[in-house]
């Protein structure tokens, strides 16, 4: 491009004209501007910079005066263009530079802190770097602003790794800085903020930037150390490893011995803190929350140093730094400190003195003795760490460990620690350690002899130990160290599989036994192994094939099912043929004996005939015996139980993998299985009809379609019809499952409806019936009913079947999808029960009566339909109708409670209904109107029937409702304040209800049984957690609940402050004890409750302050005896709050209550001493 155009644009002295030229030139060619600058002479360059300097000065001054100027974008654009022109100019000057270049450049460099445009800032930084390469004496002045700008952008949350690399490209300039410039320019503060930037220190360049700061003297090193220690509690483990690498890079690149000493002192400080660190999260700290234990964070930091120990200089450094710390704390009296020290010891192993061979040998022997002592430490945690570390060292350093030391280690591990009865973790860690040792080929010769001696561990009472031992055997099997049956008998593994209830252990056992009982061989061999397992242990076979899908594919399972089917078919044919032959022989023998009887009066002829017949019978008997003996010999262990076991195997394989079988790629296998079983349906049914295997056979055919087993379908229907009214789910459960699997829900619901319909008709009579004994109700138009006994139908059977369907997730899902209309009709027909009970409450005589159960089932059915409507699209209208029906049920409850002489069983029925409806609150399937009515019913019911279980249920409903309304509010739905008031009323009633103490119980008190008290405690804790989640200080309704709980405790303490035993919690009521037990388990809850208790003192009368403070003292004393999860900081905060309130009590009042004051002073003194205040 013609450079004359550039000169003309500048001569206009109009920045806008120049910018238009620049943009036009850039749009044509990216190098056009540079080419134009290159063609300018020295005089022309000087001329344009006399104009540029004015523009630059105007822009920078404007930016400094008003950083948020509305013209900021245009200013940034001008600075970008000017810095680019300056860069091009610097590249073209040799000796004499333009007069206005240097002031312009310095002005733009000075404005870097105010530059927010990334392109403009990067361009100014590039310009500055080019200029100080031409003028090295200006590097210190210009680089400060450049480094500051690059560092600020590298620390930005959206910064990329490119920004960090660009910063590290100025390594030379950073190293030329000094502590005074760092502090004066604010660079030190920026670098320190980079330490807490996870993204910055995760990059190698970022870590190098921080590491180079350790060369700037003691003051900077102290600032770095302080910042790192402040950041560690908030860091992650990866952050801490990055910090460890920073220390190592700093130590490796150190320049002076003084700086090296400062770095080593900092590292040693970290080591000391790692030894005495907490092994649990600290919680709230300055700047955030500590969620990872400090010992773990510091361990990861030091691990970054320890893994460099292969360098001899680093190994010597580690030994020298740990020498005054580690050896002493390995023998500390505190077990947790020893545990921390031992973790660092094993991670830094081996230690080298660097003073010579003999000295290194002394240090090494000392390490062996430390390991042996740690293995026998009295603290289980220390022993567990010692086991892990020792086994790792034996694996990695087998060659340098003396033989006698190895013997001592193995003896301690396998003879003592493997059978440590005091700690399951210790035993589990021994097994884990053996797995670790298997990773080294050098240990195999020893372990091949030792592992067989450990087979008793398979039956360890702890699940974790058993699982780890099976994992060990799996490794032994994979590595082929020895044959598995040489280590442990397979029968023991099978027995353990049969008796073990742990799914984890069973899965691992199946993987271990799969090569034996499901080898990669022909289907015939697999079947033989299957049959052997069924014969040996039927329960083990069930569990084996329940988890075998993790080891084999669908095709292999299909092959096994088909070969079992073939075997059963042939076996049944053979058995039926043997039965036929046996019957024919018996018939022949009977006929022969009949002929002999007719010839009994003949002489010699008769005798000869008898001998002949006797010989024939003997031959027949011998032949039969031989056959039987041969059959028994070949199937000595095979019996009917084994046949049923094989059917169970097929059922388990099909039911557990039904989805896989029906996948498109496996449909062929599924169809072949169905076809095969369809062919033999009548054969199997005829054989098993009167045996124990019929139930398993029905379940097996239930997994297939009903068209493939019409005979079984007819039999199932007849079995359902033949059941008695007293039949339990054990008798009909499999029949209902099969009908649902076949999609015969219509028949099943018809069966239930028929049995219920008959008895419902028998209950209802006309209003004018003379035998009606029902109570007279207010209003007109209501039916009267009478109780008529009937022997028709099986109503309880129908109800139990319906309950079974509702409780079974898979059956319920099928029925609701395919038979929704029938289910709705059945629900509507059950509604009549509510009318019967309402008009004749005296009919209820026990909880097992038809009406009681039917009413509960009606409500449950209605609720199931409601939740189904909510989950299903296009069912909004039905969902609204179901809400109206629930309102009707709640209205029915209200009408029942009108009667003053209410039958107690009605109270149980009411709470049964309330418990069912509360499930809708949990799943948020309830409208606001229904929710308000529900809360009203709960409060009315608990006031009417305040028993132990009812109080607990009411509190549970209050908690569910509290979660409900605040969840609805969080998603933008409105919930009126009436619901808050109702929830608070329920909670207040339960808290105010007199509950029994351990020492006495009056007629007005309600005694919570042990189970209900535990539930009450847990519910109160959940309510507290919900209140804490929504901040009591922000919401008055929430604060009211917390305050009421605090007042309940305080009033209890006030009531019993004159008891003989000060602080004796036996005098507290059960509710108060539940509240204390609830907040003791979480520190945040305890702090919330104690703060609210002190806050409530502001609203009490002045004369009650002393009594309240005495009560609070007793509470703090009781809590200090069993702190639970309450932290020392919470106690300190409470004691300080107490002292502020205690100072407000007048001296006259204190003198009037000298005994109480003395007790308070002694108690607070003891608390201060306990918490080191």
């Amino acid at each position: 491009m013609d450079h004359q155009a550039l000169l003309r644009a500048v001569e206009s002295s109009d920045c806008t004209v120049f910018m238009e030229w620049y943009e036009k030139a850039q749009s044509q060619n990216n190098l056009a501007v540079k080419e134009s600058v290159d063609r300018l002479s020295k005089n022309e360059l000087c001329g344009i910079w006399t104009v540029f300097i004015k523009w630059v000065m105007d822009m920078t001054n404007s930016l400094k005066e008003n950083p948020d100027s509305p013209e900021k974008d245009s200013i940034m654009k001008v600075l970008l263009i000017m810095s680019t022109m300056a860069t091009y100019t610097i590249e073209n000057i040799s000796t004499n530079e333009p007069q206005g270049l240097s002031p312009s450049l310095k002005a733009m460099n000075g404005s870097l802190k105010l530059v927010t445009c990334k392109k403009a800032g990067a361009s100014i930084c590039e310009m500055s770097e080019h200029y100080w390469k031409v003028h090295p004496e200006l590097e210190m002045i210009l680089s400060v602003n450049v480094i500051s700008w690059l560092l600020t952008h590298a620390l930005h949350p959206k910064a990329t790794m490119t920004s960090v690399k660009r910063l590290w490209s100025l390594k030379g300039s950073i190293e030329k800085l000094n502590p005074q410039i760092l502090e004066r320019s604010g660079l030190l503060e920026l670098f320190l903020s980079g330490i807490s930037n996870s993204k910055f220190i995760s990059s190698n360049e970022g870590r190098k930037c921080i590491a180079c700061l350790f060369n700037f003297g003691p003051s900077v090193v102290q600032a770095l150390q302080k910042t790192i220690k402040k950041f560690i509690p908030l860091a992650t483990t990866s952050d801490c490893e990055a910090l460890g690498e920073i220390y190592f890079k700093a130590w490796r690149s150190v320049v002076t011995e003084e700086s090296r000493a400062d770095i080593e002192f900092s590292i040693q400080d970290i080591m000391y803190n790692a030894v005495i660190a907490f092994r649990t999260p600290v919680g709230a700290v300055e700047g955030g929350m500590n969620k990872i234990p400090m010992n773990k964070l510091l361990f990861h930091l030091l691990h970054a140093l320890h893994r460099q120990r292969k360098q001899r200089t680093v190994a010597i450094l580690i030994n020298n730094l740990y020498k005054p710390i580690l050896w002493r704390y390995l023998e500390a009296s505190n077990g947790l400190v020893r545990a921390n020290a031992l973790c660092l010891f094993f991670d830094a192993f081996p230690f080298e003195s660097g003073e010579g061979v003999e000295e290194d040998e002394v240090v090494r022997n000392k390490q062996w003795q430390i390991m042996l002592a740690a293995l026998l430490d009295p603290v289980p945690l220390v022993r567990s760490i010692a086991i892990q570390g020792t086994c790792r060292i034996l694996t990695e350093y087998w060659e340098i460990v003396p033989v006698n030391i190895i013997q001592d280690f193995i003896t301690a591990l396998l003879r003592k620690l493997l059978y440590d009865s005091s700690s399951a973790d210790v035993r589990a860690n021994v097994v884990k350690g053996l797995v670790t040792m298997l990773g080294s080929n050098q240990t195999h010769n020893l372990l091949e002899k030792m592992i067989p001696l450990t087979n008793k561990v398979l039956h360890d009472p702890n699940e974790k130990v058993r699982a780890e031992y099976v994992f060990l055997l799996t490794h032994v099997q994979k590595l082929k160290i020895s044959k598995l049956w040489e280590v442990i008998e397979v029968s023991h593994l099978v027995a353990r599989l049969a008796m073990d209830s742990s799914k984890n252990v069973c899965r691992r056992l199946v993987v271990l036994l799969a090569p034996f009982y499901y080898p990669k061989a022909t289907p015939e061999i697999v079947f033989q192994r299957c049959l052997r397992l069924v014969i040996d242990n039927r329960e083990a076979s069930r569990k084996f094939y329940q988890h075998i899908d993790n080891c084999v594919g669908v095709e292999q399972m299909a092959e096994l099912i088909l070969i079992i089917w073939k075997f059963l078919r042939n076996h049944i044919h053979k058995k039926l043929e043997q039965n036929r032959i046996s019957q024919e022989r018996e018939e022949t023998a009977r006929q022969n004996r009949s002929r002999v009887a007719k010839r009994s009066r003949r002489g010699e002829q008769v005798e000869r005939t008898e001998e002949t017949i006797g010989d024939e019978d003997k031959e027949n008997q011998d032949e039969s015996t031989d056959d039987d003996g041969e059959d028994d010999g070949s199937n000595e262990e095979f019996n009917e139980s084994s046949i049923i076991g094989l059917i169970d195997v097929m059922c388990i394989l099909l039911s557990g993998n039904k989805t896989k079988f029906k996948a498109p790629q496996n449909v062929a296998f599924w169809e072949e299985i169905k076809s095969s079983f369809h062919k033999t349906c009548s054969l199997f049914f005829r054989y098993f009809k009167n045996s124990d295997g019929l139930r398993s056979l029905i379940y097996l055919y239930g997994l297939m379609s009903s068209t493939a087993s019409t005979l079984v379908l007819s039999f199932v229907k007849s079995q359902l019809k033949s059941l008695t009214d007293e039949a339990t789910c054990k008798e009909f459960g499999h029949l209902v499952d099969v009908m649902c699997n076949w999609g015969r829900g219509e028949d099943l619901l018809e069966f239930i409806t028929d049995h219920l319909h008959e008895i419902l008709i028998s209950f209802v009579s006309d209003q004018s019936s003379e035998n009606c004994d029902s109570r007279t109700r207010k209003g007109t138009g209501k039916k009267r009913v009478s109780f008529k006994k009937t022997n028709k139908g099986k109503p309880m059977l129908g109800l139990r079947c319906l309950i079974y369907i509702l409780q079974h997730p898979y059956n319920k899902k099928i029925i609701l999808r395919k038979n929704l209309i029938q289910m709705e009709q059945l629900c509507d027909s059950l509604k009549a029960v509510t009318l019967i009970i309402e008009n004749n409450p005296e009919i209820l005589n026990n909880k097992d009566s038809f009406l009681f159960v039917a009413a509960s089932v009606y409500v449950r059915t209605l609720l199931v339909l409601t939740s189904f409507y909510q989950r299903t699209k296009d069912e909004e209208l039905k969902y609204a109708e179901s809400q109206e029906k629930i309102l009707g049920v709640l209205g029915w409850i209200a009408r029942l409670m009108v009667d003053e002489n209410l039958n107690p069983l009605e109270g149980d029925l009411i709470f049964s209904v309330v418990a069912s409806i509360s499930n809708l609150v949990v799943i948020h399937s309830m409208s606001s109107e229904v929710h308000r009515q529900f809360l009203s019913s709960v409060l009315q019911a608990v006031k009417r029937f305040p028993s132990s279980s009812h109080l607990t249920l009411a509190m549970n409903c209050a908690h569910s409702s509290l979660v409900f309304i605040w969840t609805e509010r969080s998603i933008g739905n409105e919930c009126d304040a009436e619901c808050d008031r109702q929830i608070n009323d329920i909670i207040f009633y339960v808290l105010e209800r007199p509950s029994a103490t351990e020492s006495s119980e009056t007629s007005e008190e309600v005694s919570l049984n042990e189970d209900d008290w535990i539930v009450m405690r847990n519910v109160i804790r959940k309510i507290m957690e919900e209140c804490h989640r929504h901040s009591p200080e922000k919401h008055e309704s929430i604060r009211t609940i917390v305050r009421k709980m605090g007042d309940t405790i305080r009033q209890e303490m006030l009531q019993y402050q004159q008891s003989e035993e000060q602080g004796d919690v036996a005098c507290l009521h059960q509710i108060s004890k539940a509240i204390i037990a609830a907040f003791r388990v979480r520190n945040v809850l305890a702090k919330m409750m104690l703060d609210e208790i002190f806050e409530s003192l502001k609203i009490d009368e002045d004369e009650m302050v002393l009594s309240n403070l005495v009560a609070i003292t007793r509470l703090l004393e009781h809590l200090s005896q069993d702190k639970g999860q309450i932290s020392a900081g919470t106690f300190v905060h409470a004691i300080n709050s107490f002292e502020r309130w205690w100072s407000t009590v007048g001296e006259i009042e204190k003198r009037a209550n000298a005994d109480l004051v003395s007790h308070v002073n002694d108690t607070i003194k003891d608390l201060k001493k306990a918490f080191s205040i």
Side-chain angles (χ1 to χ4, degrees), residues 1109-1142:
L1109 290 175
V1110 173
I1112 293 173
T1113 307
R1114 297 188 59 219
L1115 174 61
L1116 293 175
E1117 183 182 15
H1118 169 61
L1119 291 176
S1120 66
Q1121 295 171 0
D1122 182 8
K1123 295 187 289 292
Q1125 298 298 319
I1126 306 177
S1127 68
T1130 300
F1131 277 104
V1132 172
H1133 178 72
I1135 293 170
N1136 291 335
S1137 299
F1138 175 86
E1139 289 187 324
R1140 285 196 297 271
W1141 277 100
W1142 186 249

Side-chain angles (χ1 to χ4, degrees), residues 1052-1068 1108-1121 1138 1156 1159-1160 1163 1167:
E1052 286 287 317
M1053 294 295 181
L1054 281 172
Q1055 184 177 356
Y1056 291 101
Q1057 68 181 5
Q1058 302 299 329
S1059 61
E1060 295 180 1
E1061 296 180 27
Q1062 295 290 337
D1064 183 15
V1065 79
C1067 63
L1068 294 177
N1108 286 327
L1109 290 175
V1110 173
I1112 293 173
T1113 307
R1114 297 188 59 219
L1115 174 61
L1116 293 175
E1117 183 182 15
H1118 169 61
L1119 291 176
S1120 66
Q1121 295 171 0
F1138 175 86
L1156 290 177
H1159 171 70
V1160 169
T1163 303
L1167 290 174

Side-chain angles (χ1 to χ4, degrees), residues 789-896:
K789 294 184 179 179
T790 178
N791 294 324
K792 297 181 180 180
K794 303 169 186 175
M796 295 307 297
L797 174 62
L799 288 177
R800 292 192 192 101
C801 287
L802 183 56
I803 292 171
Y804 182 80
I805 292 173
L806 296 176
Q807 290 177 340
H808 196 291
Y810 187 70
N811 291 344
K812 179 172 64 176
K813 184 179 179 180
I814 293 174
I815 293 293
L816 291 176
R817 284 186 176 181
K818 296 184 177 181
N819 308 99
L820 180 60
I821 296 176
Q822 274 187 285
M823 197 70 175
E824 292 170 343
Q825 293 172 350
L826 179 57
C827 181
D828 292 339
S829 64
L830 282 172
K831 186 179 179 181
V833 177
T834 60
L835 180 63
I836 296 169
I837 295 175
E838 183 178 352
N839 289 288
N840 295 275
E842 65 275 6
I843 293 178
L844 293 176
N845 49 20
N846 61 73
K847 291 184 179 181
D848 296 326
S849 64
F850 169 78
L851 290 176
F852 191 100
V853 177
S856 300
V857 172
Y858 162 66
V859 175
R860 291 171 64 180
T861 308
L862 176 59
L863 300 179
V864 167
L865 290 172
T866 302
S867 62
F868 177 76
Y869 295 147
Q870 187 190 34
R871 297 193 307 269
T872 309
K873 294 181 179 180
D874 305 325
E875 295 289 357
E876 292 84 357
L877 182 60
K878 288 187 176 181
Y879 176 71
E881 292 176 353
S882 66
Q883 295 292 315
E884 292 295 329
K885 292 180 180 178
I886 296 172
L887 281 175
V889 173
L890 293 172
W892 171 68
I893 291 176
R895 291 194 299 273
L896 287 180

Side-chain angles (χ1 to χ4, degrees), residues 680-693:
T680 56
C681 179
S682 60
L683 176 67
F684 285 2
F685 183 74
R686 187 168 71 251
Y687 181 79
F688 289 106
K689 187 173 182 180
N690 297 316
S691 69
D692 296 335

Side-chain angles (χ1 to χ4, degrees), residues 19 23 72-82 120:
M19 290 174 64
E23 291 175 354
K72 190 173 183 179
D73 291 341
S74 62
I75 294 174
M76 293 294 118
K77 194 172 183 180
V78 172
L79 292 177
L80 171 62
I81 294 172
M82 291 296 101

Side-chain angles (χ1 to χ4, degrees), residues 579-609:
N579 291 340
R580 185 186 63 80
I581 294 172
S582 177
Q583 290 175 1
E584 290 178 354
R585 287 177 177 172
E586 290 178 0
E587 182 64 23
T588 302
R590 187 182 62 78
Q591 292 176 359
N592 289 337
R593 284 194 296 271
S594 176
R595 287 195 297 270
V596 169
K598 292 179 181 180
R599 299 173 183 174
S600 60
R601 294 181 181 178
R602 298 178 182 178
E604 295 178 357
Q605 183 178 1
V606 172
E607 292 177 1
R608 287 195 300 269
T609 304

Side-chain angles (χ1 to χ4, degrees), residues 54-66 107 111:
K54 297 178 182 178
W55 296 347
V56 171
M57 291 302 178
D58 290 342
M59 295 300 172
T60 54
N61 291 334
S62 176
L63 188 62
K64 290 177 181 178
E65 292 173 1
N66 187 7
S111 64

